Amino acid sequence: MEWETVIGLEIHAQLATNSKIFSGSSTAYGAEPNTQASLVDLGMPGVLPVLNKKAVEMAIRFGLAINATITPRSVFARKNYFYPDLPKGYQISQFELPVVAQGYLDIELDDGSSKRIGVTRAHLEEDAGKSLHEDFHGKTGIDLNRAGTPLLEIVSEPDLRSAKEAVAYMKKMHALVRYLGVCDGNMQEGSFRCDANVSVRKPGQPFGTRAEIKNLNSFRFIERAIHYEVERQIELLESGGKVIQETRLYDPDQGETRSMRSKEDANDYRYFPDPDLLPVEITATEIEAIRATLPELPTAKKQRFMQTYHLGSYEADALTSSSELGDYFERVAQGTQDAKLAANWLMGGLAALLNKHELEISAAPVAAETLTQLLNRIKDQTLSSTAAKDVLEALWQGEGSVDAIIEAKGLKQISDTSAIEAMLDEIIANNPSQVAEYRSGKDKLFAFFVGQAMRASKGKANPSTVNDILKQKLEG
Ligand SMILES: Nc1ncnc2c1ncn2[C@@H]1O[C@H](COP(=O)(O)OP(=O)(O)OP(=O)(O)O)[C@@H](O)[C@H]1O
Ligand SMILES: [Mg+2]
Ligand SMILES: [Mg+2]
């Protein structure tokens, strides 16, 4: 019997607050080491944490978006462990009573069906500092700028059954937190990362022992790390070994996971309620006030796109992957009155340029209004699709307006029937044998004449006009 993969993800989303979760220090990324660490972040004795209300609101906002229960009275707990980047000797987190409890997220599978992934909990906690091993005078340094940065840890049920599903879930969460504005989603800077818990079992058997792969901060790494880990566990089990519960690190250069330390159980952390912080009381009125500010969420937007613009599920999914992309699409679809054309260009030519330059839609040098003008030049037959691609490239390079570029490059399509007619008469006169062959039944030669016309016009003849007139002339 085949092995089945079981995965649960713990996602750490850095909340987009300006200041830390228990102190007033800035959370801005990239400052000089230890310039953004207050006495509270340093864990000095005698100072007290003060909870950042914004962080709680963001957690609730997230909870509502995954249809979760918001805990009316949640509690901060101390999670005790020693590590050089954790000056207090404990991390303030939530344990028994997290602010967000039991929700779910639906993901799309390749076969077009959807699957519901349970979210066990999402709790607030503070991030630790960073150990700097490189470029530090041959020593290890500690940077506590990150200490106290607010995190939302989103813990999934072990409902994921493949690396692919794990990535689909991670991507959907990534889109969601950005829609909600609760996390900037910057994975390179570690604002959105996950620990993947992986085990294997024979179908029908109880869950196997999990290994936890720490701090995966790219979708590609998640997929590769899980693949590697699944293979490792299967090999181990098939050769009579046992998987041990441990924390592993993924090494992207070697493409493998390596044991870091054996994994503590919850009771090793000696969790207890933090006596310095009051329980967080959340009223129904507060919850409803936050609910009222929720934007249209990706799933609802996707449904609307499918209905309003008659898009397929795949297109609608791609175009709602960020709210900026969705807005851009809607502006072009409305400006051109042609959603299909807009979708094709956003997912085709424009997506290719964005990929090539590794840019998000919000940083695209071609605005929605400009792409609209370009597509309208296809619709009014000024441009062929091929010529329009050249214009898009030129727009991207900042070479001027749509019409200026068409003019400068001489890309204007010839739709004038008398000009096309004259050109076709000449082609027919110059190719008598092909004409005879065509008329005696060699239909394929039609393409030859179209080709001649396109060549003669340097690609500028309107293909559909050419087709129409050519048909009349050859057959009439
Ligand atoms: N047998 C299993 N195989 C795969 N995943 C599992 C298995 N059992 C539990 N999980 C997943 O492991 C994760 C456990 O996360 P949780 O935060 O509850 O505990 P933890 O990893 O022990 O704590 P910590 O936050 O200290 O890392 C969940 O996502 C859960 O779905
Ligand atoms: Mg864990
Ligand atoms: Mg956890």
Side-chain angles (χ1 to χ4, degrees), residues 34 276 328 394 440 448:
N34 298 312
D276 287 345
Y328 193 110
S440 66
F448 162 80

Side-chain angles (χ1 to χ4, degrees), residues 141-156:
I142 306 284
D143 175 10
L144 291 170
N145 283 352
R146 206 180 60 182
T149 296
L151 297 179
L152 189 65
E153 177 176 329
I154 307 159
V155 182
S156 86

Side-chain angles (χ1 to χ4, degrees), residues 10 12 79 153 195 197 210 212 214 263 269:
E10 296 162 83
H12 284 98
K79 179 180 180 180
E153 177 176 329
D195 301 344
N197 295 270
R210 69 178 158 120
E212 179 182 57
K214 276 279 179 205
K263 168 81 191 167
Y269 287 122

Side-chain angles (χ1 to χ4, degrees), residues 276-330:
D276 287 345
L277 286 157
L278 288 168
V280 186
E281 311 258 7
I282 301 160
T283 65
T285 320
E286 285 168 314
I287 293 176
E288 288 322 306
I290 293 172
R291 196 193 303 278
T293 68
L294 289 181
E296 182 184 27
L297 297 177
T299 314
K301 185 170 274 184
K302 179 182 168 185
Q303 290 307 325
R304 182 167 66 80
F305 277 18
M306 288 172 72
Q307 267 160 21
T308 313
Y309 301 111
H310 308 287
L311 299 181
S313 171
Y314 176 79
E315 290 167 310
D317 210 48
L319 293 171
T320 52
S321 61
S322 76
S323 60
E324 291 85 0
L325 187 60
D327 291 348
Y328 193 110
F329 164 74
E330 288 205 273

